[in-house]
Structure formats: structure tokens, C-alpha cells
Amino acid sequence: MSIQLLTELNGSKKGALKKFIDTFKGEPRIAWYPSAGVDFRALLYLSPQYAASDPVNVEEPQTPDIFLFTDYFPWDKSDFLDSRVIYSDERTEIFVEHIEELPRLNLLPLHPELVDFPNGSRATDRAVFLTIKVISKVLGTFSYPVIYAFAENETFYCKKMIPFKARMSHVIHIRYGGGLGGGGKATGIWIPNVLKSLGSEMFITDDHYSMQSGDEFAFKFCPYIPSECESVLTLIRNIMGEAWGNYGDVKWYLVGY
């Protein structure tokens, strides 16, 4: 289950993630953001504060307890996490309160069928546990734990999530693949197909899908991916793309089975 996945990622470390695991009661609600890049807006949009500021006419799922970002991160010249400040403008500051390196993921090699830069970078195949603080003039101040696994989304799903029967209460599909310049040969068209196996309750997406060569490889590489979406998606919220990803409207779907 989810706590088993977190324990696997923590390994023998005795730091902040171990403390989170040991003190958490039950199974944590995890929001998975594949191909996250350096986009931490999910922490704002999936906060209770945002849900209260933009209410919908149905009961929303409970917000996440922790976020899981995955991206193979091929940018050798990136200064991401070299500084405590992740993002800052006149309305919002996002910065790192705590960072702890976790054990290597052992998910290499990268697959040239999926990515444009199969050599990766110094970040690829590493993972970190972060405590991220958000200071927003609109939503207030709050902190969230985040695990960032620098790995191919497809490999992480197949080799880490599936063996530990991980559950992801929320799944985010925004500018999947090469959307932030990292290069990719897939649009993540397979992501809706795994919502049921992940036990997901909310799917947030820019609805940009097309079957590309990387997606075709993903279905062959990971036979656990169903060939079709087995979930019923009910639209409950829509925001303009300029507010998140700038790649078309972003839609919140309740996931039913």
C-alpha cells in the first residue's frame, strides 16, 4: 500500500521521511504529479484553502497528505534545489524548509523509446524528501511534504508503484512529457487507464493526449497498464490554462468506478 511505497523510498534513512512514516496513522493520501518539472503549483491548487476559495457543488475528496513528483529531469545546467527559493513573485513565495536525500532509485537505464535525453543528468535516479512552504497573499501560509523521484514516470509506475500496490488519491496530468523542455516521446495517454488500479479519487488534467511512440512503448514495457480507461470521470471544476501550465484549460474530474 502507500505507506509501503514510502518505506521503500526511504530505505534505511532515519530522517524526516522516516519520522513522517512512523507518526502517520493509517494510509497517507498521496497526490502523484508525473512530469512535474519545477512546477509546484499543485501544492496551492490541492490545498484546503484553494478548495474553500473556489467551491464546487459536490463534495470534494479530502486533500492530500503528501505529494509525489516524478520526472527524469535531464537538465544538467538547472539550478533547481540549489537554492531554497523555488518560486517567488509579488503574490506567492514557494521555498524549501527542509531537504533530505533518499537512497538511489535503481531504475536506470532510461529508455530512448520514452525520452529524448537518455543520458539523464546528475539528478536522474536520485530522490529527495522535501518540506515545502507556501506563502500566498491569496491563500495564506502552509507547508506540505513532497517526495521528488527523478525517474521516468512509466518506469516508476511499473517498478515502484505496482509492486507495492500503491494508492494515489490524486493524479495530475499537466504538460506531460516534454512540456517544460525536457524532451519526451509520450503524452501520458495511459495515465487515465491506471486511475482505477491506483484507487484515485481526483484526476486533474489539461486533457492533452495523443498516442505517440513513447505511449505505445509504455503499454508494451509495463503490461500492468490496462488497454482502456476503466474509470468514470465527472467534471467538477475548470480553470483557464494561464493559471496552470498555459496549455489549455485545466479540469478537475471526480473519479468513479
Side-chain angles (χ1 to χ4, degrees), residues 20-34:
F20 176 88
I21 293 169
D22 288 345
T23 57
F24 197 89
K25 304 300 182 184
E27 289 290 330
R29 297 174 60 77
I30 305 176
W32 179 34
Y33 190 176

Side-chain angles (χ1 to χ4, degrees), residues 31 46 49-50 67 83-84 99-100 147 157 165 188 211 226 245 256:
L46 288 180
Q49 293 89 332
Y50 179 77
F67 287 78
S83 165
R84 294 279 177 173
I99 183 170
E100 169 190 357
I147 294 174
Y157 172 76
K165 298 179 172 62
M211 182 65 76

Side-chain angles (χ1 to χ4, degrees), residues 13-192:
K13 301 283 288 190
K14 304 296 183 182
L17 178 54
K18 181 65 162 60
K19 183 177 180 180
F20 176 88
I21 293 169
D22 288 345
T23 57
F24 197 89
K25 304 300 182 184
E27 289 290 330
R29 297 174 60 77
I30 305 176
W32 179 34
Y33 190 176
S35 290
V38 296
D39 177 21
F40 280 73
R41 282 170 288 194
L43 276 63
L44 285 90
Y45 284 121
L46 288 180
S47 67
Q49 293 89 332
Y50 179 77
S53 72
D54 186 18
V56 294
N57 58 5
V58 297
E59 183 177 357
E60 290 194 62
Q62 183 182 339
T63 52
D65 300 305
I66 186 170
F67 287 78
L68 171 63
F69 289 9
T70 57
D71 195 311
Y72 81 109
F73 216 84
W75 305 288
D76 263 325
K77 295 182 179 179
S78 172
D79 60 0
F80 178 51
L81 297 182
D82 289 348
S83 165
R84 294 279 177 173
V85 178
I86 292 176
Y87 180 83
S88 179
D89 65 17
E90 65 277 5
R91 295 193 305 172
T92 306
E93 293 181 59
I94 303 175
F95 62 92
V96 178
E97 287 188 299
H98 170 82
I99 183 170
E100 169 190 357
E101 183 155 11
L102 301 175
R104 291 275 179 166
L105 296 169
N106 295 321
L107 294 177
L108 293 177
L110 299 175
H111 296 91
E113 296 91 346
L114 288 169
V115 300
D116 286 335
F117 304 102
N119 290 328
S121 72
R122 60 192 176 96
T124 305
D125 207 47
R126 299 166 73 176
V128 291
F129 177 71
L130 309 164
T131 303
I132 302 295
K133 188 167 188 177
V134 176
I135 302 175
S136 167
K137 290 185 178 179
V138 177
L139 300 178
T141 299
F142 51 91
S143 297
Y144 266 117
V146 177
I147 294 174
Y148 205 124
F150 298 101
E152 288 173 344
N153 306 315
E154 294 80 0
T155 302
F156 190 89
Y157 172 76
C158 197
K159 302 298 185 182
K160 295 292 187 182
M161 290 185 177
I162 289 295
F164 293 96
K165 298 179 172 62
R167 312 284 281 185
M168 300 288 137
S169 61
H170 299 67
V171 176
I172 303 155
H173 176 278
I174 306 289
R175 296 188 74 94
Y176 191 95
L180 291 176
K185 300 174 182 177
T187 67
I189 197 172
W190 60 274
I191 295 287

Side-chain angles (χ1 to χ4, degrees), residues 6-17:
L6 300 188
T7 300
E8 159 69 10
L9 295 175
N10 181 72
S12 60
K13 301 283 288 190
K14 304 296 183 182
L17 178 54

